[in-house]
Amino acid sequence: MQLPTQFEDSMKAALGGEYDAFRAALDQDPQVSIRINTRKVSAPTKGVEVPWCATGQYLDKRPSFTLDPLLHAGCYYVQEASSMFVEQVYRQFIDTEAPVVLDLCAAPGGKSTHLASLLDGKGWLVSNEVMRNRVNILRENIIKWGAPNVTVTNNDPADFGKLTGLFDLILVDAPCSGEGMFRKDEQAVEEWSPENVRFCAERQRRILADIFPALAEGGILIFSTCTYNEEEDEQNVHWIAEELGAEILRIETDPAWNVTETDAGYHFYPHKTRGEGFFLSALRKTEEEPACKRKKKKEAKVALPPSAKELTNWLTEPVKLTAHNDVIYAIPADQADLVDMLSEHLRVLQSGVEVATVKGKDLIPSQHLALAWTLRNGVFPTVDLSWQEAITYLRKENLTLPANAPKGYILLTYRSVPLGWVKNLGNRCNNLHTQEWRIRMQVDGLEFNDFLEL
Ligand code: SAM
C-alpha cells in the first residue's frame, strides 16, 4: 500500500518509535468481527470476544455473510471491533432508566443497532442520516435489528435546532478523512490530503455546533471518527469543551485492551488494538440548556379499520397504533408524545414497528413485524426452512411449502428465527419478502456452513 508522504510524516511525528509497527499493521488483513443481537440469538458464537463489548465477537475468517439467512434475520451485524467501544461510554455514564438518544450520523447503522441493543427496548433512539442515498440502508438495518423504540430520520443537523435539551446522549460519528480505514478502503487513501483533513475538521465543527443545543444539560456527547490526526480529533474535542461548554470524561479501560489515551480521548491503532483505526471522546455538557417543552398533543383521530384492534394482540407490549395511508404502525404507549414531537420537527421515515397494511378486509403483516422483538409468539403458524429454502425465500423466488401447511399468512423461520412472511393459497404461496432486500447474488452450487451456535 502506497501512503501519502504527508500522512506518513504526521504519523511518524505522532507515533515516534511505534511507526514501523503501525506501518506493518496496515499491510495485514483487516480483522473480521460481528456484534450479536441477543434479543434474537442467545447462545455465544465460536469466535473470540471483543473485550470492550459484551456482544462483540472476532471471527477467524470472513464467511460469505450474504449467504447466511441469520444475517438477513438481524441476528448479528458485521461491525469493526474498535467502533464497539461506544458501549463503554454507555455503560459508564448513562444512568437514566429510559434515555432519549440521538445517533446523528447513523448510516449504515452499525452504532445505531448497537445503541438499540444497549437501550434494550427502553427509552427512545433517533437514528438520523442526512444523505438521502444512505438512509434506506439505515432503515433496512434498523428494521432487521428489530428494536421497537427507534425513529429513523433524514435531516440535516441544523434541523434539530428546535429540539433543545431533548437528548440525554448524542453520538456524532462524524464524516472524516478516514485514515483509520486505509487498510479496508483504498479510496480513503486516494482521497487523503491535508486540505481534506482541514475540510473535514471544519465540517465536524459545523455539525457539532448545530447539534449541541439538542443535548440536555448534563447530557453526554460522544464524538468519534475513524481518523488519527489531531486536527479532527483532539483539537475538535478541546474546541467542544471550550467553545460549546462541556467537560471531557475519562473512560475506564483495561490496560490489556491497549487503547491509547490522550488528553482528549481514546485512539485505537491497528498495531496495538485488535480492530481498525478509531478515535472516540466522551464529554458531559456543562452549558445551561432549557429543555424544549414536550407538548401533550390533542389526540388526533386516526381512522383505523375495525379489524386493526386485532393488531394489538400481535404484539407483546402495550402500544398506540397510528396509520399513514394504509400502513399501521405501533408505538410503545409511553413514548407516543415524544414520537409526535419528533414528527412535528423532523423528516421521519419511520417510528416504532410497522405492523400491517390494510387491504380491504385483509391485514397484511409487515416484514418489519416479522423481524421485531415485540412480535408475539404463537399468533401466526410457522414453517422452519432449510438453508436452501431460506435462500430461495430471501431471493424472493417461488417456494414450495409442506403439504400440511395451513392457508393464510405463515411466518417463515430459519433455525427458529423469524425471516418473513408468505401467504399460503393452498396450491401455491406468495413470497412477501421485501423486494429491495432480496439477495441478488448467484447462489447455484454454493453452500454455507453455519457459524453461529444456536
Ligand atoms: N455511524 C455509522 C455506523 O456506525 O454505521 C457510520 C457513519 S459515517 C462515519 C458518517 C456519516 O455521516 C455518513 O453516513 C455520512 O453520510 C454522514 N454525513 C456526511 N456529511 C454529513 C453532514 N454534513 N452532517 C451530518 N452527517 C453527515
Side-chain angles (χ1 to χ4, degrees):
M1 183 194 297
Q2 187 71 31
L3 295 175
T5 317
Q6 284 158 299
F7 168 73
E8 287 193 299
D9 292 345
S10 70
M11 289 310 294
K12 279 177 192 160
L15 294 175
E18 286 180 32
Y19 179 79
D20 288 345
F22 167 78
R23 183 66 192 81
L26 293 192
D27 286 329
Q28 283 160 15
D29 286 337
Q31 299 286 334
V32 184
S33 46
I34 59 171
R35 194 169 32 72
I36 307 280
N37 186 347
T38 49
R39 282 288 193 141
K40 300 195 178 202
V41 188
S42 51
T45 70
K46 293 167 195 155
V48 176
E49 278 175 25
V50 175
W52 45 87
C53 172
T55 51
Q57 302 276 331
Y58 293 105
L59 304 182
D60 50 14
K61 54 179 186 295
R62 193 176 183 89
S64 177
F65 289 116
T66 308
L67 295 178
D68 186 4
L70 294 180
L71 176 75
H72 301 268
C75 291
Y76 62 93
Y77 191 96
V78 183
Q79 188 182 25
E80 150 337 82
S82 310
S83 296
M84 300 178 195
F85 188 59
V86 165
E87 175 159 327
Q88 291 303 317
V89 181
Y90 193 93
R91 292 200 187 283
Q92 294 180 36
F93 299 105
I94 303 298
D95 42 23
T96 322
E97 168 77 6
V100 183
V101 177
L102 168 64
D103 183 2
L104 183 67
C105 312
K111 296 183 191 67
S112 269
T113 51
H114 194 178
L115 287 167
S117 285
L118 294 166
L119 284 167
D120 198 28
K122 294 184 238 17
W124 201 260
L125 171 64
V126 178
S127 181
N128 178 70
E129 171 56 45
V130 64
M131 309 296 267
R132 271 188 187 221
N133 60 350
R134 287 171 60 85
V135 78
N136 280 336
I137 184 66
L138 173 64
R139 187 177 184 200
E140 177 180 334
N141 284 327
I142 293 287
I143 289 177
K144 288 179 175 172
W145 203 250
N149 53 335
V150 186
T151 293
V152 180
T153 57
N154 174 216
N155 283 88
D156 187 272
D159 299 341
F160 288 81
K162 289 215 172 102
L163 299 172
T164 48
L166 179 64
F167 296 99
D168 301 300
L169 169 65
I170 296 180
L171 166 62
V172 178
D173 186 34
C176 69
S177 60
E179 295 163 355
M181 288 292 128
F182 279 4
R183 72 175 171 183
K184 268 187 140 178
D185 179 3
E186 252 176 56
Q187 210 184 331
V189 184
E190 279 159 29
E191 284 172 6
W192 190 92
S193 68
E195 294 71 35
N196 193 37
V197 167
R198 194 152 318 122
F199 169 80
C200 289
E202 281 166 12
R203 178 170 59 183
Q204 287 154 7
R205 285 193 188 188
R206 279 199 304 278
I207 293 172
L208 289 160
D210 281 343
I211 206 58
F212 204 67
L215 184 62
E217 186 179 341
I220 303 293
L221 174 73
I222 302 177
F223 174 66
S224 59
T225 70
C226 55
T227 212
Y228 307 113
N229 68 76
E230 270 199 358
E231 212 171 332
E232 292 174 76
D233 296 341
E234 277 78 4
Q235 288 179 22
N236 272 348
V237 172
H238 286 298
W239 177 83
I240 300 169
E242 283 149 29
E243 298 298 321
L244 301 180
E247 65 171 308
I248 301 168
L249 299 172
R250 268 210 83 212
I251 304 168
E252 292 283 324
T253 57
D254 185 327
W257 302 350
N258 261 330
V259 178
T260 306
E261 182 176 352
T262 67
D263 64 346
Y266 298 80
H267 282 280
F268 288 67
Y269 291 111
H271 64 290
K272 291 178 78 178
T273 314
R274 200 168 164 193
E276 298 315 296
F278 185 60
F279 171 81
L280 183 146
S281 180
L283 301 102
R284 191 190 304 279
K285 179 165 177 175
T286 48
E287 184 77 6
E288 236 178 74
E289 192 69 73
C292 60
K293 291 226 165 35
R294 287 208 207 176
K295 280 183 280 176
K296 184 129 188 77
K297 273 216 330 195
K298 265 203 212 140
E299 282 285 310
K301 276 265 168 272
V302 185
L304 291 171
S307 57
K309 273 202 192 124
E310 182 192 335
L311 296 181
T312 50
N313 299 327
W314 292 5
L315 298 156
T316 52
E317 313 253 318
V319 289
K320 181 182 163 195
L321 295 175
T322 62
H324 295 283
N325 302 320
D326 297 332
V327 184
I328 300 178
Y329 295 84
I331 310 289
D334 57 346
Q335 299 289 352
D337 290 344
L338 171 64
V339 169
D340 279 345
M341 187 164 86
L342 295 171
S343 313
E344 223 173 278
H345 296 289
L346 301 172
R347 192 204 309 240
V348 170
L349 270 80
Q350 158 197 309
S351 275
V353 175
E354 182 189 318
V355 188
T357 301
V358 183
K359 199 166 181 193
K361 284 188 188 153
D362 204 8
L363 289 170
I364 306 170
S366 297
Q367 184 71 6
H368 195 171
L369 176 72
L371 300 167
W373 301 348
T374 44
L375 171 63
R376 191 185 287 281
N377 263 339
V379 175
F380 292 92
T382 60
V383 169
D384 201 49
L385 303 179
S386 66
W387 176 78
Q388 194 65 57
E389 289 167 335
I391 293 296
T392 304
Y393 175 71
L394 293 167
R395 286 175 59 79
K396 206 168 165 64
E397 290 171 346
N398 289 335
L399 199 66
T400 309
L401 294 179
N404 62 353
K407 282 193 184 168
Y409 293 104
I410 295 183
L411 181 65
L412 300 179
T413 59
Y414 174 69
R415 301 174 79 196
S416 303
V417 183
L419 276 185
W421 307 101
V422 284
K423 185 171 187 184
N424 188 15
L425 306 171
N427 51 351
R428 64 185 175 84
C429 69
N430 288 341
N431 184 333
L432 301 183
H433 186 51
T434 306
Q435 176 76 9
E436 297 76 39
W437 298 358
R438 71 192 188 285
I439 298 179
R440 293 174 177 88
M441 176 178 166
Q442 280 310 319
V443 293
D444 298 340
L446 295 180
E447 282 178 24
F448 183 73
N449 291 322
D450 287 308
F451 67 95
L452 288 189
E453 281 169 5
L454 296 193

